[in-house]
Amino acid sequence: MTFWTKIAGLILRGRYFVLLCIAIITGLLLTQTKYMRFSFTEANLLPKDHEVNVQYDNFLNIFGEEGNIIILGVKDSTVFTPKKFNAWNTLVKSFDSFSEVDFTVSISDVNQLKADRKNRKFVVEPLFSKKPTTKEEIAKIKEQLFEKLPFYNNLLYNDKGTLQTAIYLNKDIVNTPIRKDFIIEDLIPIIKKFEKDYNIDVRVSGMPYIRTINSENIVQEMGLFVGGALLITAIIFFFFFRSFRATFITLLVVGIGVIWAFGFIGWFRYEITVLSALIPPLIIVIGVPNAVFLINKYQQEVKKHGNQIKSLQRVISKIGNATLMTNITTASGFATFIFVKSDLLREFGILASINIISIFILALLIIPIAYSFMPLPKKKHLNHLEKKWTNNIVNWMLKMVKTERVPIYITTVAVIILSMIGLYQIRISGSLIEDMPKGMQFYKDIKFFEKEFGGIMPLEILIDTKREKGVMKLSTLKKMDKLNEVIETFPELSKPISVTNLVKYSKQAYYNGNPKYYQIPTSQEKSYIFSYVKNSKGNEGMLKNFVDKTGRYARITTFMKDVGTDRMDIIQNRLNEVIKKQFPEKKFNVSMTGKALVFLKGTNYLIKNLVISLSLAIVLISIFMAWMFRSPQMILISLIPNMLPLLMTAGLMGYFGIPIKPSTILVFSIAFGISVDDTIHFLAKYRQELLVNNWRIKPAVYSALKETGVGMFYTSIVLFFGFLVFTVSSFGGTIALGGLVSVTLLLAMVSNLLLLPALLISFEKRIANKKVIQEGGFEILPPSNKGK
């Protein structure tokens, strides 16, 4: 009695106990779903101790959270009418009453800096102290703001007449659920009411707002994916098997698998991110092929001898081992993410690999037990085994493998050449907003602010002068101003904001507000202008946003458009050249940071690590093949049909301009781990047929293709349409992931059904002998069992 025969006996004899155990585990995991929580921060793809993260944390320690601004924008000439102008300022001021808001900055907050000659100090006066009631008053305000206060240019207005307002959230709530509640329940309804009442289109953006709307979309799509995956796999499954009973059992298995998936997320206290949200639908898509092989084998056995118990034992003993191997290889493909130094991917790898093994265990236990309580399938339920169209497909495959091996190899070589050409056209890209839903209003608003104000993703330059009060030295200010001038030359970056803007404004104020004096003071002017600054107590609030309290650290803030890693590298290199020239390392320590830059650097880091991850998956699966066959040639033959689809997909990405980015790089590890399943199913059957056919390879290959061909075709179609569900997403990355994995798996099916058998026959003398097969670690049932 073999190991798997014993397992079959234990499962079927202890079916009530097994069902009780499943029910208890499901109940316990169901209680853990209450601990599921959604991510309120951006995905950090870098390890915590990475230099880029260390620099960013250092910046936060000095100046605090930089991504706490929500921006409102209006491009409407009618806003400069008394009624709408006052309503706009009232709207902004209304947010000051919320505890979640630190303060707001709008036109009504504009202060003019003026020189008090008598007391030799600067004083601030409001641009207007009472609500304007006439068009003339507003025209005067507009003229003063737009023509005489360049300090506020690109902060509160631009030259086209577009207004911008900033809402600064309390930094303590930016990365908490309170932020989401404020934006969804307070901010959005208030703005929508204003738009309706005054017929003004208000644009809203800023990192807190983008993150909130984005996470809401993830939550909505998670349900859509689970429902879509269940529906489409159920329809395809019923189409193949024409059995409500088989379809119901399959849905029961994957339904419990989804509960377990949610339960594990809660149990591990992981946050739901764009990646972890894919786990439940992924489990459905991967779980259904298990059911296809198990149910298909059960029906084949019933058709042979009509003995239910023997059929169920054969399902577990014959398919159990092969299915275990396929699920281990799939789980291994995902488990390689655990070795990537990124929390986001590590969590995804842990959840995916655990749930893949779980869905295998559930299928192996529930399907035979469920059928043990039911009567034998009727003849109509077995008709699909002899369908003419499926037989035609198998016969066509046999004909191709028998007589058309040379055309198969020629086609393979041609595909490899074309794919290599496409491969060299692939570009690497990484952007914080690139994969966001382009049809959504918040994405259109991002593009609005990019066009009007230069972007919404902050890029920070931290300048350490290495001594207290070093920032306000004239030489330092001139160096900063030179760097600001270089930043302004890049169309991808907005006008920078720093202490130099304030110093220039001070000089303008000293010269009676004349805009032509909005510039850095000369060494002669510095002493008396700065003496005015020192005497101006109570106005330090403006300075603290740009310089720390010791005067040692300064920040230059600019905002980035949606640029990819390649363009950002060019910008960063150019800025580093200027920084190196203007700020000698002996006297200064300058670093570039900000959320957008951290993400872009994370993309490059991720791609390097995922190449290692894919290589590790290939090595692991090679070890499995070596254990099965003890033959180096068999390792190569089994890997070629699975590497080829990956190469073809990479080629297609190059031809269609799909870049390598965090979402698309996952395709290769996921697809490779899943596509190898077909190889293992085919080779497992091939090994059994070698025994039956007295080590003759050709009859063994043909028999294996006849028996596994239909099952491999069924599972590949289920997987193709299952992953295609992800293409209904509004996220570009999820669409690319679903579409590319679908295409790769379809190509892998063709490769495994044509190229793999052809290679086995062509290299038959080098790969098969009785000694190799008998020493292999894969269990083979004796020929006497066949057909009984």
Side-chain angles (χ1 to χ4, degrees), residues 491-512:
E492 298 90 347
L493 302 177
S494 70
K495 286 184 179 179
I497 311 158
S498 69
V499 66
T500 59
N501 298 65
L502 203 53
V503 171
K504 289 177 181 179
Y505 192 20
S506 299
K507 179 174 176 177
Q508 180 190 350
Y510 184 82
Y511 287 103
N512 300 317

PDB file of all heavy atoms in Angstrom, residues 491-512:
ATOM      1  N   PRO A 491      10.829  71.456 -17.202  1.00  0.00           N
ATOM      2  CA  PRO A 491       9.365  71.571 -17.331  1.00  0.00           C
ATOM      3  C   PRO A 491       8.603  70.575 -16.445  1.00  0.00           C
ATOM      4  O   PRO A 491       7.433  70.768 -16.170  1.00  0.00           O
ATOM      5  CB  PRO A 491       9.116  71.286 -18.817  1.00  0.00           C
ATOM      6  CG  PRO A 491      10.335  70.548 -19.285  1.00  0.00           C
ATOM      7  CD  PRO A 491      11.470  71.029 -18.452  1.00  0.00           C
ATOM      8  N   GLU A 492       9.307  69.517 -16.020  1.00  0.00           N
ATOM      9  CA  GLU A 492       8.648  68.495 -15.175  1.00  0.00           C
ATOM     10  C   GLU A 492       8.544  68.924 -13.713  1.00  0.00           C
ATOM     11  O   GLU A 492       7.879  68.256 -12.924  1.00  0.00           O
ATOM     12  CB  GLU A 492       9.423  67.173 -15.229  1.00  0.00           C
ATOM     13  CG  GLU A 492       9.495  66.534 -16.600  1.00  0.00           C
ATOM     14  CD  GLU A 492      10.708  66.987 -17.412  1.00  0.00           C
ATOM     15  OE1 GLU A 492      11.364  67.979 -17.007  1.00  0.00           O
ATOM     16  OE2 GLU A 492      10.992  66.365 -18.440  1.00  0.00           O
ATOM     17  N   LEU A 493       9.221  70.019 -13.343  1.00  0.00           N
ATOM     18  CA  LEU A 493       9.221  70.473 -11.953  1.00  0.00           C
ATOM     19  C   LEU A 493       8.564  71.842 -11.842  1.00  0.00           C
ATOM     20  O   LEU A 493       8.672  72.675 -12.746  1.00  0.00           O
ATOM     21  CB  LEU A 493      10.653  70.544 -11.412  1.00  0.00           C
ATOM     22  CG  LEU A 493      11.481  69.252 -11.449  1.00  0.00           C
ATOM     23  CD1 LEU A 493      12.892  69.515 -10.950  1.00  0.00           C
ATOM     24  CD2 LEU A 493      10.821  68.164 -10.613  1.00  0.00           C
ATOM     25  N   SER A 494       7.882  72.066 -10.711  1.00  0.00           N
ATOM     26  CA  SER A 494       7.238  73.360 -10.486  1.00  0.00           C
ATOM     27  C   SER A 494       8.262  74.375  -9.985  1.00  0.00           C
ATOM     28  O   SER A 494       9.401  74.029  -9.673  1.00  0.00           O
ATOM     29  CB  SER A 494       6.127  73.204  -9.451  1.00  0.00           C
ATOM     30  OG  SER A 494       6.695  72.964  -8.167  1.00  0.00           O
ATOM     31  N   LYS A 495       7.849  75.639  -9.902  1.00  0.00           N
ATOM     32  CA  LYS A 495       8.717  76.658  -9.319  1.00  0.00           C
ATOM     33  C   LYS A 495       9.013  76.284  -7.874  1.00  0.00           C
ATOM     34  O   LYS A 495       8.105  75.973  -7.114  1.00  0.00           O
ATOM     35  CB  LYS A 495       8.033  78.030  -9.359  1.00  0.00           C
ATOM     36  CG  LYS A 495       7.986  78.658 -10.731  1.00  0.00           C
ATOM     37  CD  LYS A 495       7.380  80.051 -10.672  1.00  0.00           C
ATOM     38  CE  LYS A 495       7.353  80.698 -12.061  1.00  0.00           C
ATOM     39  NZ  LYS A 495       6.747  82.047 -12.012  1.00  0.00           N
ATOM     40  N   PRO A 496      10.281  76.306  -7.485  1.00  0.00           N
ATOM     41  CA  PRO A 496      10.618  75.886  -6.115  1.00  0.00           C
ATOM     42  C   PRO A 496      10.214  76.917  -5.064  1.00  0.00           C
ATOM     43  O   PRO A 496      10.098  78.112  -5.360  1.00  0.00           O
ATOM     44  CB  PRO A 496      12.137  75.728  -6.173  1.00  0.00           C
ATOM     45  CG  PRO A 496      12.574  76.629  -7.279  1.00  0.00           C
ATOM     46  CD  PRO A 496      11.457  76.662  -8.274  1.00  0.00           C
ATOM     47  N   ILE A 497      10.015  76.428  -3.846  1.00  0.00           N
ATOM     48  CA  ILE A 497       9.671  77.283  -2.710  1.00  0.00           C
ATOM     49  C   ILE A 497      10.736  77.055  -1.644  1.00  0.00           C
ATOM     50  O   ILE A 497      11.018  75.909  -1.279  1.00  0.00           O
ATOM     51  CB  ILE A 497       8.294  76.919  -2.122  1.00  0.00           C
ATOM     52  CG1 ILE A 497       7.245  76.806  -3.232  1.00  0.00           C
ATOM     53  CG2 ILE A 497       7.859  77.929  -1.070  1.00  0.00           C
ATOM     54  CD1 ILE A 497       6.051  75.976  -2.846  1.00  0.00           C
ATOM     55  N   SER A 498      11.315  78.130  -1.132  1.00  0.00           N
ATOM     56  CA  SER A 498      12.335  77.996  -0.088  1.00  0.00           C
ATOM     57  C   SER A 498      12.457  79.314   0.662  1.00  0.00           C
ATOM     58  O   SER A 498      11.732  80.282   0.380  1.00  0.00           O
ATOM     59  CB  SER A 498      13.685  77.602  -0.693  1.00  0.00           C
ATOM     60  OG  SER A 498      14.207  78.679  -1.455  1.00  0.00           O
ATOM     61  N   VAL A 499      13.411  79.376   1.573  1.00  0.00           N
ATOM     62  CA  VAL A 499      13.635  80.600   2.350  1.00  0.00           C
ATOM     63  C   VAL A 499      14.068  81.750   1.441  1.00  0.00           C
ATOM     64  O   VAL A 499      13.847  82.920   1.765  1.00  0.00           O
ATOM     65  CB  VAL A 499      14.685  80.347   3.459  1.00  0.00           C
ATOM     66  CG1 VAL A 499      16.061  80.064   2.868  1.00  0.00           C
ATOM     67  CG2 VAL A 499      14.762  81.510   4.437  1.00  0.00           C
ATOM     68  N   THR A 500      14.646  81.434   0.281  1.00  0.00           N
ATOM     69  CA  THR A 500      15.076  82.503  -0.632  1.00  0.00           C
ATOM     70  C   THR A 500      13.878  83.320  -1.126  1.00  0.00           C
ATOM     71  O   THR A 500      14.011  84.526  -1.349  1.00  0.00           O
ATOM     72  CB  THR A 500      15.838  81.931  -1.848  1.00  0.00           C
ATOM     73  OG1 THR A 500      14.997  81.023  -2.556  1.00  0.00           O
ATOM     74  CG2 THR A 500      17.113  81.221  -1.409  1.00  0.00           C
ATOM     75  N   ASN A 501      12.719  82.687  -1.294  1.00  0.00           N
ATOM     76  CA  ASN A 501      11.518  83.415  -1.684  1.00  0.00           C
ATOM     77  C   ASN A 501      11.168  84.474  -0.636  1.00  0.00           C
ATOM     78  O   ASN A 501      10.786  85.598  -0.956  1.00  0.00           O
ATOM     79  CB  ASN A 501      10.331  82.456  -1.849  1.00  0.00           C
ATOM     80  CG  ASN A 501      10.560  81.420  -2.932  1.00  0.00           C
ATOM     81  OD1 ASN A 501      11.441  80.578  -2.823  1.00  0.00           O
ATOM     82  ND2 ASN A 501       9.754  81.473  -3.979  1.00  0.00           N
ATOM     83  N   LEU A 502      11.314  84.091   0.626  1.00  0.00           N
ATOM     84  CA  LEU A 502      10.989  84.992   1.729  1.00  0.00           C
ATOM     85  C   LEU A 502      12.001  86.133   1.819  1.00  0.00           C
ATOM     86  O   LEU A 502      11.636  87.292   2.065  1.00  0.00           O
ATOM     87  CB  LEU A 502      10.969  84.204   3.042  1.00  0.00           C
ATOM     88  CG  LEU A 502      10.157  84.782   4.207  1.00  0.00           C
ATOM     89  CD1 LEU A 502       8.733  85.085   3.806  1.00  0.00           C
ATOM     90  CD2 LEU A 502      10.194  83.812   5.385  1.00  0.00           C
ATOM     91  N   VAL A 503      13.265  85.793   1.590  1.00  0.00           N
ATOM     92  CA  VAL A 503      14.321  86.820   1.622  1.00  0.00           C
ATOM     93  C   VAL A 503      14.114  87.821   0.478  1.00  0.00           C
ATOM     94  O   VAL A 503      14.255  89.036   0.665  1.00  0.00           O
ATOM     95  CB  VAL A 503      15.714  86.157   1.540  1.00  0.00           C
ATOM     96  CG1 VAL A 503      16.806  87.200   1.350  1.00  0.00           C
ATOM     97  CG2 VAL A 503      15.987  85.327   2.783  1.00  0.00           C
ATOM     98  N   LYS A 504      13.769  87.308  -0.705  1.00  0.00           N
ATOM     99  CA  LYS A 504      13.495  88.197  -1.844  1.00  0.00           C
ATOM    100  C   LYS A 504      12.304  89.112  -1.545  1.00  0.00           C
ATOM    101  O   LYS A 504      12.311  90.301  -1.880  1.00  0.00           O
ATOM    102  CB  LYS A 504      13.195  87.360  -3.094  1.00  0.00           C
ATOM    103  CG  LYS A 504      14.395  86.646  -3.678  1.00  0.00           C
ATOM    104  CD  LYS A 504      13.960  85.798  -4.878  1.00  0.00           C
ATOM    105  CE  LYS A 504      15.124  85.034  -5.475  1.00  0.00           C
ATOM    106  NZ  LYS A 504      14.691  84.201  -6.621  1.00  0.00           N
ATOM    107  N   TYR A 505      11.276  88.511  -0.924  1.00  0.00           N
ATOM    108  CA  TYR A 505      10.082  89.290  -0.570  1.00  0.00           C
ATOM    109  C   TYR A 505      10.436  90.389   0.441  1.00  0.00           C
ATOM    110  O   TYR A 505       9.904  91.501   0.394  1.00  0.00           O
ATOM    111  CB  TYR A 505       9.020  88.338  -0.011  1.00  0.00           C
ATOM    112  CG  TYR A 505       7.635  88.937   0.139  1.00  0.00           C
ATOM    113  CD1 TYR A 505       7.250  90.081  -0.554  1.00  0.00           C
ATOM    114  CD2 TYR A 505       6.696  88.331   0.971  1.00  0.00           C
ATOM    115  CE1 TYR A 505       5.984  90.608  -0.419  1.00  0.00           C
ATOM    116  CE2 TYR A 505       5.418  88.849   1.116  1.00  0.00           C
ATOM    117  CZ  TYR A 505       5.071  89.988   0.425  1.00  0.00           C
ATOM    118  OH  TYR A 505       3.805  90.507   0.566  1.00  0.00           O
ATOM    119  N   SER A 506      11.379  90.092   1.336  1.00  0.00           N
ATOM    120  CA  SER A 506      11.818  91.085   2.328  1.00  0.00           C
ATOM    121  C   SER A 506      12.482  92.273   1.633  1.00  0.00           C
ATOM    122  O   SER A 506      12.253  93.430   2.001  1.00  0.00           O
ATOM    123  CB  SER A 506      12.808  90.449   3.313  1.00  0.00           C
ATOM    124  OG  SER A 506      12.220  89.390   4.006  1.00  0.00           O
ATOM    125  N   LYS A 507      13.301  91.988   0.620  1.00  0.00           N
ATOM    126  CA  LYS A 507      13.954  93.075  -0.119  1.00  0.00           C
ATOM    127  C   LYS A 507      12.907  93.899  -0.868  1.00  0.00           C
ATOM    128  O   LYS A 507      12.978  95.135  -0.890  1.00  0.00           O
ATOM    129  CB  LYS A 507      14.987  92.509  -1.086  1.00  0.00           C
ATOM    130  CG  LYS A 507      15.684  93.597  -1.906  1.00  0.00           C
ATOM    131  CD  LYS A 507      16.807  93.041  -2.758  1.00  0.00           C
ATOM    132  CE  LYS A 507      17.411  94.148  -3.625  1.00  0.00           C
ATOM    133  NZ  LYS A 507      18.563  93.674  -4.429  1.00  0.00           N
ATOM    134  N   GLN A 508      11.939  93.228  -1.480  1.00  0.00           N
ATOM    135  CA  GLN A 508      10.861  93.935  -2.186  1.00  0.00           C
ATOM    136  C   GLN A 508      10.114  94.852  -1.220  1.00  0.00           C
ATOM    137  O   GLN A 508       9.821  96.005  -1.547  1.00  0.00           O
ATOM    138  CB  GLN A 508       9.892  92.924  -2.825  1.00  0.00           C
ATOM    139  CG  GLN A 508       8.743  93.593  -3.570  1.00  0.00           C
ATOM    140  CD  GLN A 508       7.650  92.611  -3.991  1.00  0.00           C
ATOM    141  OE1 GLN A 508       7.814  91.404  -3.888  1.00  0.00           O
ATOM    142  NE2 GLN A 508       6.526  93.140  -4.439  1.00  0.00           N
ATOM    143  N   ALA A 509       9.815  94.309  -0.019  1.00  0.00           N
ATOM    144  CA  ALA A 509       9.090  95.109   0.979  1.00  0.00           C
ATOM    145  C   ALA A 509       9.921  96.319   1.417  1.00  0.00           C
ATOM    146  O   ALA A 509       9.382  97.422   1.636  1.00  0.00           O
ATOM    147  CB  ALA A 509       8.746  94.238   2.179  1.00  0.00           C
ATOM    148  N   TYR A 510      11.227  96.122   1.543  1.00  0.00           N
ATOM    149  CA  TYR A 510      12.112  97.220   1.965  1.00  0.00           C
ATOM    150  C   TYR A 510      12.079  98.362   0.958  1.00  0.00           C
ATOM    151  O   TYR A 510      12.141  99.538   1.327  1.00  0.00           O
ATOM    152  CB  TYR A 510      13.537  96.685   2.133  1.00  0.00           C
ATOM    153  CG  TYR A 510      14.501  97.716   2.667  1.00  0.00           C
ATOM    154  CD1 TYR A 510      14.567  97.983   4.041  1.00  0.00           C
ATOM    155  CD2 TYR A 510      15.331  98.441   1.809  1.00  0.00           C
ATOM    156  CE1 TYR A 510      15.438  98.946   4.532  1.00  0.00           C
ATOM    157  CE2 TYR A 510      16.208  99.393   2.295  1.00  0.00           C
ATOM    158  CZ  TYR A 510      16.259  99.645   3.660  1.00  0.00           C
ATOM    159  OH  TYR A 510      17.124 100.614   4.147  1.00  0.00           O
ATOM    160  N   TYR A 511      11.945  97.978  -0.326  1.00  0.00           N
ATOM    161  CA  TYR A 511      11.873  98.993  -1.376  1.00  0.00           C
ATOM    162  C   TYR A 511      10.420  99.307  -1.739  1.00  0.00           C
ATOM    163  O   TYR A 511      10.044  99.350  -2.901  1.00  0.00           O
ATOM    164  CB  TYR A 511      12.662  98.533  -2.598  1.00  0.00           C
ATOM    165  CG  TYR A 511      14.164  98.589  -2.402  1.00  0.00           C
ATOM    166  CD1 TYR A 511      14.900  97.435  -2.153  1.00  0.00           C
ATOM    167  CD2 TYR A 511      14.836  99.809  -2.438  1.00  0.00           C
ATOM    168  CE1 TYR A 511      16.275  97.487  -1.961  1.00  0.00           C
ATOM    169  CE2 TYR A 511      16.226  99.870  -2.241  1.00  0.00           C
ATOM    170  CZ  TYR A 511      16.930  98.705  -2.005  1.00  0.00           C
ATOM    171  OH  TYR A 511      18.291  98.769  -1.798  1.00  0.00           O
ATOM    172  N   ASN A 512       9.612  99.458  -0.697  1.00  0.00           N
ATOM    173  CA  ASN A 512       8.218  99.912  -0.824  1.00  0.00           C
ATOM    174  C   ASN A 512       7.352  99.016  -1.721  1.00  0.00           C
ATOM    175  O   ASN A 512       6.443  99.490  -2.406  1.00  0.00           O
ATOM    176  CB  ASN A 512       8.170 101.364  -1.337  1.00  0.00           C
ATOM    177  CG  ASN A 512       8.880 102.318  -0.395  1.00  0.00           C
ATOM    178  OD1 ASN A 512       8.720 102.229   0.823  1.00  0.00           O
ATOM    179  ND2 ASN A 512       9.690 103.224  -0.947  1.00  0.00           N
TER     180      ASN A 512
END
